[in-house]
Amino acid sequence: MTTFHAFRIHNDAHGYRGGVETMHADALSPGEVLVNVAYSSVNYKDALAGTGKGKILRQYPLNGGIDAAGVVVASTDALFKEGDAVLCTGSGLSETRDGGYAQYIRLPSQWVIPLPDGLTLRESMILGTAGFTAALALLRMQDNRQTPALGPIAVSGASGGVGMLAIDIFTRAGYEVHAISGKPAHFDFLRELGAAECIDRHQLVFSGKPMDSARFGGALDNVGGPMLAGLLPLIVPYGNVAICGNAGGVGFESTVMPFIIRGASLLGIASAGTARDIRGQLWHHLASDWKPRHLGRIATREVTLEQLPEVFERMLAGDSFGRTIVRVGHV
């Protein structure tokens, strides 16, 4: 290997910009494991980073892409050897170190996850950070005694990547899912993924009362803002609301009543810094008992590095559907 292609992001005297360029492995962020990247994915965070419309990167230049999956080509850590199939999500990728939008990535071994049996490299990136986040929400809810017996799980932002995968993952784990989305044209698809009920966000009227009739056993909220405030009074006693997104706003107004009268819990889901042992546990679930049944359908587009700017603009404009996979190499 001499040089390779990468979607690299700069912010300097020439302005903020990202595009495909040629680089050498010597310029990559340090780490014990060098990986030939086969696939990455596109998350909302990637679109913000790639366009500069969000403050994601903490240093420049860096390769974009918060997810990566590929094959080890060199390692100074005995736990990994040449030819091992591996993946990495979050862990500072495209934030403090080079990410997965490059034909090669160098990673600290502590964040490298062996590809579990039951998943292909491509499937692991259909899941990516989005699927990992949904699975982490389910794990945290179950650790806090969430069970299917408490009632249906509401999933807001259900037509987004996390939402779609959450429907499939929660359903696979035995829960009834009620999908909340502002895109009723996608309701038939959400039902095919397993949603027992689809609710039009524009027709969902919250009472504004501190407490309301319990409707959901729990919720995974990808929206925040008024949606989160409206869901909390609808949760059954000792149900959980996991929050992992803020498309509807970073602030919300509520009262202590759902918490001190019904014992509801609000669980924050921060996937990027998840501990290594939990990562391994979640990827095992995602390759087995929680593996979504409809990964092939959820992956609605596969693109190259050169097509990323168009994908970013469409995603930020709200004109994307399903998961976009980035075909980086030919592993």
Side-chain angles (χ1 to χ4, degrees):
M1 175 186 56
T2 54
T3 59
F4 58 91
H5 291 119
F7 186 92
R8 200 153 177 83
I9 301 169
H10 299 262
N11 187 14
D12 52 28
H14 299 287
Y16 196 105
R17 65 202 185 280
V20 178
E21 58 187 74
T22 300
M23 64 180 297
H24 193 277
D26 291 344
L28 287 170
S29 303
E32 296 81 23
V33 185
L34 182 65
V35 177
N36 185 1
V37 180
Y39 293 98
S40 184
S41 68
V42 182
N43 303 278
Y44 195 75
K45 191 174 180 180
D46 294 314
L48 292 174
T51 59
K53 295 180 180 179
K55 295 181 179 179
I56 306 300
L57 275 67
R58 300 184 186 179
Q59 62 187 63
Y60 302 89
L62 286 178
N63 297 337
I66 65 174
D67 297 336
V71 173
V72 174
V73 295
S75 175
T76 59
D77 188 317
L79 291 175
F80 299 96
K81 65 182 185 301
E82 183 179 350
D84 287 347
V86 297
L87 64 91
C88 182
T89 60
S91 309
L93 300 190
S94 188
E95 185 176 344
T96 59
R97 59 181 305 107
D98 288 312
Y101 292 163
Q103 291 172 308
Y104 290 88
I105 187 172
R106 187 177 283 117
L107 297 165
S109 58
Q110 64 176 322
W111 299 124
V112 180
I113 302 295
L115 183 74
D117 292 339
L119 282 180
T120 66
L121 289 171
R122 188 176 186 275
E123 286 176 331
S124 76
M125 291 293 95
I126 298 174
L127 289 162
T129 288
F132 182 83
T133 299
L136 179 60
L138 176 55
L139 180 71
R140 291 211 62 203
M141 292 170 76
Q142 292 194 158
D143 282 349
N144 207 36
R145 302 178 66 83
Q146 189 78 41
T147 68
L150 288 178
I153 301 295
V155 174
S156 67
S159 58
V162 175
M164 286 184 181
L165 288 164
I167 292 170
D168 219 337
I169 290 167
F170 276 69
T171 301
R172 182 73 193 272
Y175 291 83
E176 179 179 315
V177 176
H178 291 189
I180 302 173
S181 171
K183 300 177 179 179
H186 298 321
F187 281 2
D188 286 345
F189 184 83
L190 299 182
R191 292 188 184 97
E192 291 173 13
L193 297 183
E197 183 176 334
C198 292
I199 303 166
D200 188 339
R201 172 173 57 84
H202 302 295
Q203 298 180 8
L204 182 60
V205 179
F206 297 120
S207 69
K209 298 177 182 178
M211 299 283 286
D212 210 336
S213 298
R215 179 174 179 179
F216 302 117
L220 172 56
D221 180 31
N222 293 285
V223 178
M227 177 63 71
L228 177 58
L231 286 172
L232 284 169
L234 304 178
I235 304 302
V236 304
Y238 298 100
N240 298 281
V241 176
I243 173 72
C244 65
N246 62 359
V250 296
F252 71 100
E253 293 185 10
S254 186
T255 72
V256 300
M257 303 304 283
F259 308 108
I260 66 172
I261 300 300
R262 288 190 180 150
S265 296
L266 181 58
L267 306 176
I269 307 303
S271 64
T274 306
R276 171 62 185 268
D277 62 326
I278 298 177
R279 287 179 183 274
Q281 179 183 357
L282 287 174
W283 282 108
H284 172 75
H285 279 304
L286 287 168
S288 55
D289 55 328
W290 292 359
K291 184 178 180 179
R293 295 185 174 93
H294 306 90
L295 284 177
R297 300 202 62 197
I298 292 173
T300 55
R301 190 176 186 190
E302 186 171 308
V303 301
T304 63
L305 294 175
E306 289 77 10
Q307 294 172 289
L308 284 172
E310 173 203 349
V311 174
F312 293 157
E313 293 298 336
R314 288 185 61 181
M315 179 172 280
L316 294 179
D319 186 28
S320 63
F321 178 68
R323 290 282 285 161
T324 297
I325 305 307
V326 185
R327 187 176 64 257
V328 181
H330 302 280
V331 176

